[in-house]
Amino acid sequence: MRVAVIGGGPGGLYAAALLKRDAPEREITLWERNAPEDTFGFGVVLSDETLGGIEDADPEVYAALRREFVRWDAIDIVHRGRRLRSGGHGFAALGRRRLLEILHERCRGLGVGLRFRTEAPPAAELARDHDLVIAADGVHSRTRAAHADHFRPSVTTHRCRYIWLSADLALDAFRFEIAGTPHGVMQLHGYPYAPGASTVIVEMREEVWLRAGFDRLSEGETLDACGAVFSDVLRGAPLRSNRSAWTAFRTVVNERWSYGRTVLIGDAAHTAHFSIGSGTKLAVEDALSLAGQVTEHHDIPAALAAYEAERRPLVASTQRAARASLEWFEELAMRRDQPPRRFAFDLLTRSRRVTHDNLRLRDAEFVAAVEEEAGIPPGTPPMFTPFRLRGLTLRNRVVVSSMDMYSAVDGVPGDFHLVHLGARALGGAGLVMTEMVCVSERGRITPGCTGLYAPGHETAWRRITDFVHGPVVPAGTAIGVQIGHSGRKGSTKFMWEGIDQPLEEGNWPVVGPSAVPYRAGVNQVPHALSRAELRTIREEFAASAASAARAGFDLLELHCGHGYLLSSFISPLTNRRDDAYGGDLGHRLAYPLEVFDAVRDAWPADRPMTVRISATDWADGGVTADDAVVVARAFAEHGADAVDVSTGQVVPDERPAFGRSYQTPFAERIRREAGVPVIAVGLISSWDDVNSLILAGRADLCAVGRPHLYDPHWTLHAAADQEYTGPGVQWPAPYRAGSRKPPAGRRG
């Protein structure tokens, strides 16, 4: 086998070494256009997981690395002159130049041909006489660019500028230092990588960088200016540059990683922001996987397919975490006013990989100090602290999210709804929400949707609220109703028969702000509502709210998200009106706010009212996160007690960035910028996630959906898992005998 490697970074070198070691008869040649001693950046951080893979695959390289490592386990966060330390993390780093030297030595010892100061031939040319071409040519990959029509790359440039420097001092922790300057917030990421040497990365928003004049400074002036800002941490040590230049981070994603005999690895295939230290880690792990698959499969196409199948999910997970971390630093300015320990906790958990529970395992004293600062009683998980909305005090921060059940007959909730909602009320959550209850027959999504538009509806709902407020369910459990109108997304089949698919018979006409169908040629073209029809629908909302109050609900939520009627007024993708209800965001908000006001007037003054919004359409030209802050602020000014922050489902061609707690950044931004309590929702699946979000100040309440379908007593079991028995959750008297988790099995 003949193998060509383009690029002499850690990924390319290690792939070459492993392939040669596994089969010495392979002819492997690596091209690197720079000299062997040339490198960019300074230190490299490797995780214990990556090191374990290296140790298993190549003990010789591992032994050489181990002799060079600088190890530490603390993270320091310095904000407004105060340093807070969290321990127990575990890091290993070494100089990037030394890492390359070790890999050079290993490659030479194995017989890999290294061609430095030599531009590699194009991948297409190499593929003609090589069995495998490995493109490890970095974030600016020429190979990726040359075959972009096949790899289909997406490159996103982000909003911060950063520069990679070094200082002649040995930090004793991974250090995050936040500096407030007349130009704006700047941050330093620093860590040791050799005795007497530390990496120093200085980062700031683009507009701060411009105001500070860094775009006009020479290299020496840049070093002096950065040194002055962070003089406390540098303690007089000069900053050094290695052809360093200010740049903006680029996230690289490719739809495909291989093309014929050519395969991308490392930054050529994917990038992850330096704030989680995963660039070299990913490249080395790519090399480990690729070499293993080539040796196992022999057939190159099969090996490349197996490599991508193995690595893609892991890389995607890392990129999601890196994106969350990157965005945390991009929006650092809005977090500056937090109490110091909460700020530190927020920073440490920014990627959603470090959580309340595993941070407590690493440094229980640190987490206890954060909880004390937040006023959380000792021994109380953050999720089990109370929260007040107007005249309603919720026992804990868990909400059973609104989930459509499509199981009503003529809008009437029946025995199923009593059992479904009653079981969740028994399950310990502070607030149980109904599905979207429709304000009219034509406002239903499906024939199975519940309603509040006929006399029998109110009576049926009263049966359910009476049960929740009755003697069996622990006192203090609240039940809320979500009301809405389907708009252009109505007259469709049950979810399990085809989401958003029109009924085959029995259709009713749908309406919207404009005559724009949900799916052209599939769904009905909605009737564009007249002023008179809008007044009628507004009155239907108000009548439903009054009915909900008589039915005994504790809280009402107005559904202004997910592309239903009120949401479709807000989005420019669905609202094409040219009257007072169309045009700019203020005009598009006018009708939803009119409905909100009518509902607020019909709803008792002492009971809270929330509103659910889609904080982004996940589509070009649609509602953005900036818009969402404006929308939330407007509803808050009209009397909303909290905003339930969801996203998307407005247009079918959306491109959501799914992932763990993926919608919470939108909620956090609204909470901080609009100054209104928020309910976070969206793949919040564990009690650890809830604790983390609440303690970090990203949300006030957490709506948990699918886990409550899996386990109606999810909240009670979360208390049992955490050995919590305080006032934040109560077991129903008939269930108390089961309040201890049963043993999984017996040992002989």
Side-chain angles (χ1 to χ4, degrees), residues 172-304:
D172 62 350
F174 208 126
R175 189 172 178 113
F176 295 101
E177 181 132 356
I178 314 303
T181 77
H183 313 292
V185 180
M186 303 180 187
Q187 60 255 21
L188 175 147
H189 310 245
Y191 57 88
Y193 67 86
S198 295
T199 288
V200 172
I201 304 169
V202 178
E203 183 185 27
M204 66 199 74
R205 285 282 289 257
E206 172 94 7
E207 60 269 25
V208 176
W209 180 77
L210 290 170
R211 285 197 296 265
F214 281 113
D215 59 321
R216 302 186 301 272
L217 299 184
S218 67
E219 181 177 342
E221 291 170 333
T222 294
L223 298 179
D224 291 342
C226 291
V229 172
F230 296 104
S231 58
D232 288 347
V233 61
L234 295 173
R235 301 192 298 274
L239 289 171
R240 301 190 184 280
S241 172
N242 179 17
R243 292 180 291 173
S244 306
W246 290 101
T247 188
F249 189 81
R250 288 170 290 275
T251 295
V252 174
V253 177
N254 285 277
E255 286 189 20
R256 299 187 182 97
W257 293 358
S258 64
Y259 172 45
R261 299 175 181 179
T262 301
V263 63
L264 305 176
I265 71 170
D267 284 354
H270 44 69
T271 59
H273 192 248
F274 56 81
S275 61
I276 65 167
S278 291
T280 301
K281 163 185 157 63
L282 289 176
V284 168
E285 290 175 351
D286 283 354
L288 284 163
S289 173
L290 178 62
Q293 298 296 349
V294 169
T295 297
E296 179 178 343
H297 287 86
H298 301 294
D299 176 66
I300 292 300
L304 299 187

Side-chain angles (χ1 to χ4, degrees), residues 3-20 28-32 96 99-100 103-104 106-107 110 112-114 116 132-138 263-268 279-280 282-288 290-291 307:
V3 179
V5 182
I6 305 171
L13 286 164
Y14 199 43
L18 290 172
L19 287 166
K20 186 68 172 177
I28 300 176
T29 307
L30 181 146
W31 283 263
E32 169 54 53
R96 182 176 175 87
L99 170 62
L100 294 178
L103 294 175
H104 293 163
R106 183 62 169 148
C107 284
L110 291 166
V112 173
L114 300 179
F116 293 106
L132 175 63
V133 179
I134 300 173
D137 46 351
V263 63
L264 305 176
I265 71 170
D267 284 354
T280 301
L282 289 176
V284 168
E285 290 175 351
D286 283 354
L288 284 163
L290 178 62
Y307 153 71

Side-chain angles (χ1 to χ4, degrees), residues 396-625:
N396 59 54
R397 306 301 185 95
V398 180
V399 178
V400 176
S401 190
S402 293
M403 295 175 283
D404 289 320
M405 295 289 108
Y406 309 115
S407 300
V409 177
D410 296 327
V412 179
D415 289 347
F416 169 82
H417 299 85
L418 174 64
V419 173
H420 167 67
L421 294 169
R424 274 102 198 134
L426 290 166
L431 173 64
V432 177
M433 292 297 300
T434 70
E435 61 197 272
M436 186 179 90
V437 177
C438 303
V439 299
S440 69
E441 186 175 15
R442 287 191 172 188
R444 294 174 298 163
I445 308 167
T446 75
C449 290
T450 56
L452 264 172
Y453 52 84
H457 298 162
E458 186 178 314
T459 302
W461 283 116
R462 186 82 206 195
R463 178 179 176 226
I464 294 170
T465 62
D466 282 348
F467 176 81
V468 174
H469 296 144
V472 178
V473 176
T477 302
I479 181 166
V481 60
Q482 183 190 80
I483 63 172
H485 188 297
S486 60
R488 69 177 190 157
K489 294 178 73 176
S491 192
T492 59
K493 297 178 180 180
F494 298 153
M495 177 179 64
W496 48 87
E497 294 177 349
I499 297 177
D500 299 321
Q501 293 299 308
L503 294 169
E504 294 178 3
E505 59 182 21
N507 282 283
W508 57 88
V510 299
V511 298
S514 306
V516 180
Y518 184 67
R519 283 191 177 91
V522 177
N523 299 96
Q524 290 183 54
V525 176
H527 163 66
L529 290 161
S530 68
R531 291 290 192 97
E533 290 168 323
L534 290 173
R535 283 195 298 271
T536 299
I537 291 174
R538 184 183 67 208
E539 291 165 2
E540 289 171 345
F541 270 97
S544 289
S547 184
R550 293 190 298 270
F553 286 102
D554 302 299
L555 174 147
L556 183 144
E557 180 166 282
L558 184 65
H559 202 329
C560 296
H562 294 178
Y564 298 125
L565 181 63
L566 299 182
S567 169
S568 63
F569 270 88
I570 298 172
S571 173
L573 299 177
T574 50
N575 185 342
R576 310 284 175 81
R577 298 176 76 98
D578 57 7
D579 62 3
Y581 296 131
D584 64 23
L585 180 57
H587 286 96
R588 298 197 309 272
L589 263 173
Y591 183 67
L593 289 172
E594 283 184 18
V595 173
F596 182 93
D597 290 342
V599 171
R600 182 67 268 183
D601 288 344
W603 183 245
D606 63 330
R607 300 188 207 177
M609 183 172 163
T610 64
V611 59
R612 170 168 278 198
I613 67 170
S614 286
T616 176
D617 290 344
W618 297 114
D620 294 339
V623 167
T624 66

